[in-house]
């Protein structure tokens, strides 16, 4: 049995109860109570709860495998996902039209995020969000205060009646519903499209789509503008310009000889853009606009934002990429990256500590090495570059 002060809460524990977890639940009650959670809600939610075993297994797992961007995009922009997106574009046409008018976010971008996050609701996660967050707040080795705040917010959502506790589906890390909001994002951005008083991103597709549009608008979405353009670089191009930071207008990039891959001109040459080469010189190049970086606020990964952009384009009839990926230029995992850094340091191209993380210093070191050996100085770390360094005695 367990009892909590200031509102007695009692429940029977399973035979194989995790005593430490039950102690955490008892100790967390004052925090929840201070946030306005009632003893009735707390008791109903935590009665008999045990830690989520998948969350315990995954929370500290550091996978060495790095998925190449081309494999990621093959899945993200698959034929099936494009076809489903077009189906839902038609099925939810009136809803999407109203959402676009209300929030100023292009409908295909909203649909693409839904497709990327849960395959249009096909898989929203098999975990109860409160259980997953309680497990993380109890056992995660890092960010304890973050998980505790997310847990409190999840309890607030249940108590306010936006979703039943048993329907609060999400990922092992607490991302929820059709478009995978963390509770704090739900609190800040979720929308009640249908006006029923609930912001239900689990069972109301219109609410989920409107919530995504509200999120993108709040982060600066530019209505009617694309996310970016696939481009071709001229022979002899200075790859130091592709540092991921240099911002020029599309017209200014054009003066460096950069052209759209499809041969068309840029509709708005005054738009600002950043040149991005996700796989260095061995893959397609892109000029990314503001909306690309708004998408990255949803998930701060270049592959993710590129997947959303390409899927959105395909949903409304756009074609596939003109350029191809040189698939032998596989990205490095963390241990391989550390080896690369150590070799660069040993060759006199200082990149700092060999920590397995690629930052500006490592990219500068790679470019310096590539330039000194007559290689294309794209700053891209790949198995090909690592092999070159190993042979370069």
């Amino acid at each position: 049995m367990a009892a909590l002060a200031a509102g007695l809460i009692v429940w029977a524990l399973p035979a194989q109860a995790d005593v430490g977890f039950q102690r955490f639940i008892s100790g967390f009650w004052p925090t929840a109570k201070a946030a306005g959670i009632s003893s009735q809600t707390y008791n109903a939610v935590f009665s008999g709860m045990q830690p989520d075993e998948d969350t315990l297994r995954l929370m500290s797992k550091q996978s060495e495998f790095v998925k190449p961007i081309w494999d990621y995009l093959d899945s993200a922009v698959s034929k099936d996902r494009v076809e489903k997106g077009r189906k839902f574009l038609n099925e939810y046409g009136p809803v999407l039209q109203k959402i676009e008018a209300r929030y100023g976010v292009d409908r295909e971008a909203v649909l693409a995020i839904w497709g990327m996050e849960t395959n249009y609701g096909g898989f929203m996660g098999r975990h109860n969000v409160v259980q997953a967050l309680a497990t993380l707040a109890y056992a995660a080795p890092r960010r304890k205060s973050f998980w505790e705040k997310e847990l409190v917010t999840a309890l607030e959502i249940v108590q306010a009646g936006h979703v039943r506790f048993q329907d609060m589906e999400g990922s092992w890390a607490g991302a929820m519903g059709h478009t995978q909001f963390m509770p704090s994002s739900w609190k800040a951005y979720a929308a009640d499209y249908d006006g029923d008083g609930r912001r239900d991103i689990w069972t109301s597709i219109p609410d989920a789509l409107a919530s995504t549009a509200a999120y993108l608008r709040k982060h600066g979405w530019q209505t009617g503008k694309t996310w970016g353009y696939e481009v071709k670089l001229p022979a002899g191009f200075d790859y130091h310009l592709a540092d991921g930071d240099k911002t020029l207008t599309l017209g200014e990039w054009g003066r460096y000889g950069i052209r759209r891959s499809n041969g068309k001109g840029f509709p708005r040459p005054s738009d600002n853009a950043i040149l991005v080469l996700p796989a260095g010189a061995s893959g397609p190049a892109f000029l990314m606009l503001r909306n690309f970086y708004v998408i990255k606020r949803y998930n701060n990964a270049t592959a993710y934002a590129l997947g959303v952009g390409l899927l959105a384009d395909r949903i409304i009839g756009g074609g596939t990429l003109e350029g191809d990926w040189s698939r032998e230029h596989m990205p490095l995992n963390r241990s391989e990256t550390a080896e690369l850094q150590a070799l660069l340091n040993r060759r006199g191209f200082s990149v700092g500590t060999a920590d397995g993380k690629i930052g500006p210093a490592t990219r500068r070191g790679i470019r310096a090495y590539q330039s000194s050996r007559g290689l294309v100085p794209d700053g891209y770390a790949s198995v090909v570059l690592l092999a070159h360094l190993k042979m370069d005695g």
Side-chain angles (χ1 to χ4, degrees):
M1 307 294 283
L4 305 180
L8 185 66
I9 299 179
V10 180
W11 61 79
L13 300 181
Q16 300 299 318
D18 184 317
V19 176
F21 184 68
Q22 302 305 325
R23 192 178 300 118
F24 163 77
I25 291 173
S26 297
F28 193 69
W29 163 240
T31 300
K33 184 172 183 283
I37 304 302
S38 70
S39 59
Q40 290 82 3
T41 296
Y42 204 81
N43 186 41
V45 165
F46 286 116
S47 179
M49 184 183 288
Q50 288 293 292
D52 185 305
E53 294 296 330
D54 274 353
T55 298
L56 288 172
R57 178 174 55 84
L58 293 168
M59 67 185 182
S60 299
K61 188 175 182 181
Q62 298 271 335
S63 175
E64 269 288 273
F65 176 73
V66 178
K67 192 171 191 176
I69 189 169
W70 46 85
D71 285 350
Y72 181 91
L73 293 176
D74 285 347
S75 173
V77 197
S78 66
K79 180 181 178 182
D80 177 68
R81 192 166 285 178
V82 171
E83 289 177 351
K84 283 182 180 177
R86 291 172 179 168
K87 169 180 172 289
F88 287 121
L89 180 65
N90 180 61
E91 183 175 339
Y92 288 95
V95 170
L96 288 163
Q97 184 177 10
K98 289 178 183 177
I99 287 173
E100 188 173 299
R102 185 181 301 179
Y103 297 101
V105 177
D106 304 82
R107 65 195 73 183
E108 64 271 16
V110 174
L111 271 178
I113 285 180
W114 184 27
M116 288 284 288
E117 292 293 338
T118 62
N119 195 20
Y120 309 103
F123 182 72
M124 293 187 284
R126 59 178 177 270
H127 302 268
N128 180 273
V129 167
V130 173
Q131 183 186 19
L133 291 171
T135 302
L136 289 161
Y138 159 60
R142 296 177 296 276
R143 304 174 73 198
K144 184 176 179 63
S145 63
F146 170 80
W147 298 121
E148 289 181 349
K149 289 175 183 176
E150 295 292 338
L151 176 57
V152 167
T153 305
L155 292 170
E156 291 172 342
I157 293 168
V158 172
Q159 181 163 283
H162 293 281
V163 64
R164 297 190 308 166
F165 165 68
Q166 56 267 40
D167 294 332
M168 203 176 198
E169 285 186 324
S171 74
W172 68 267
M176 313 182 301
H178 278 273
T179 48
Q180 296 290 279
F181 276 27
M182 291 299 292
S184 57
S185 291
W186 177 96
K187 187 174 184 178
Y189 308 109
D192 176 15
Y193 172 86
D194 53 20
D196 67 354
R198 299 165 61 223
R199 294 184 283 166
D200 179 6
I201 63 174
W202 298 269
T203 64
S204 170
I205 291 172
D207 277 9
L209 298 179
S211 297
T212 294
Y215 184 98
L216 295 175
R217 181 188 68 175
K218 288 283 189 180
H219 288 93
W221 186 266
Q222 295 185 330
T223 309
K225 293 189 177 183
T226 188
W227 53 274
Y229 300 97
E230 185 187 1
V231 295
K232 289 183 178 179
L233 307 181
F237 180 75
D238 181 4
Y239 280 85
H240 290 86
L241 295 170
D243 61 3
D245 292 319
K246 189 174 185 62
T247 301
L248 297 172
T249 68
L250 292 169
E252 289 168 335
W253 284 115
R255 286 196 279 277
Y256 282 101
I258 295 177
R259 300 289 183 265
R260 288 182 67 180
S261 294
N262 62 11
K264 297 179 181 179
F266 296 112
R268 292 171 297 275
S270 61
D271 284 351
N272 288 323
I274 293 174
L275 181 61
V276 175
L277 281 63
S282 62
F286 302 89
L287 283 173
M288 301 304 195
L289 278 62
R290 167 70 187 229
N291 285 346
F292 178 80
Y293 295 95
V294 174
I295 296 169
K296 287 190 76 174
R297 294 296 299 269
Y298 212 97
N299 180 325
N300 190 30
T302 293
Y304 174 86
L306 183 55
V308 169
L310 292 172
L311 180 58
D313 285 355
R314 294 289 306 282
I315 286 172
I316 57 173
T320 58
L321 290 175
E322 299 284 337
D324 199 6
W325 309 93
S326 297
R327 300 189 178 220
E328 72 273 14
H329 289 261
M330 293 283 290
L332 303 178
N333 62 36
R334 188 158 182 174
S335 60
E336 289 169 334
T337 299
E339 183 181 8
L340 175 86
Q341 291 167 323
L343 287 169
L344 286 169
N345 284 333
R346 201 175 304 156
R347 304 280 188 270
F349 302 93
S350 178
V351 300
T353 304
D355 59 3
K357 299 177 183 178
I358 296 176
T362 299
R363 282 190 288 271
R364 282 194 299 271
I366 290 173
R367 283 199 175 96
Y369 171 79
Q370 290 170 323
S371 295
S372 73
R373 301 303 193 267
L375 305 173
V376 176
D378 60 5
Y380 178 62
S382 71
V383 296
V384 174
L385 179 66
L386 179 58
H388 197 285
L389 266 163
K390 285 180 176 179
M391 292 187 296
D392 187 356

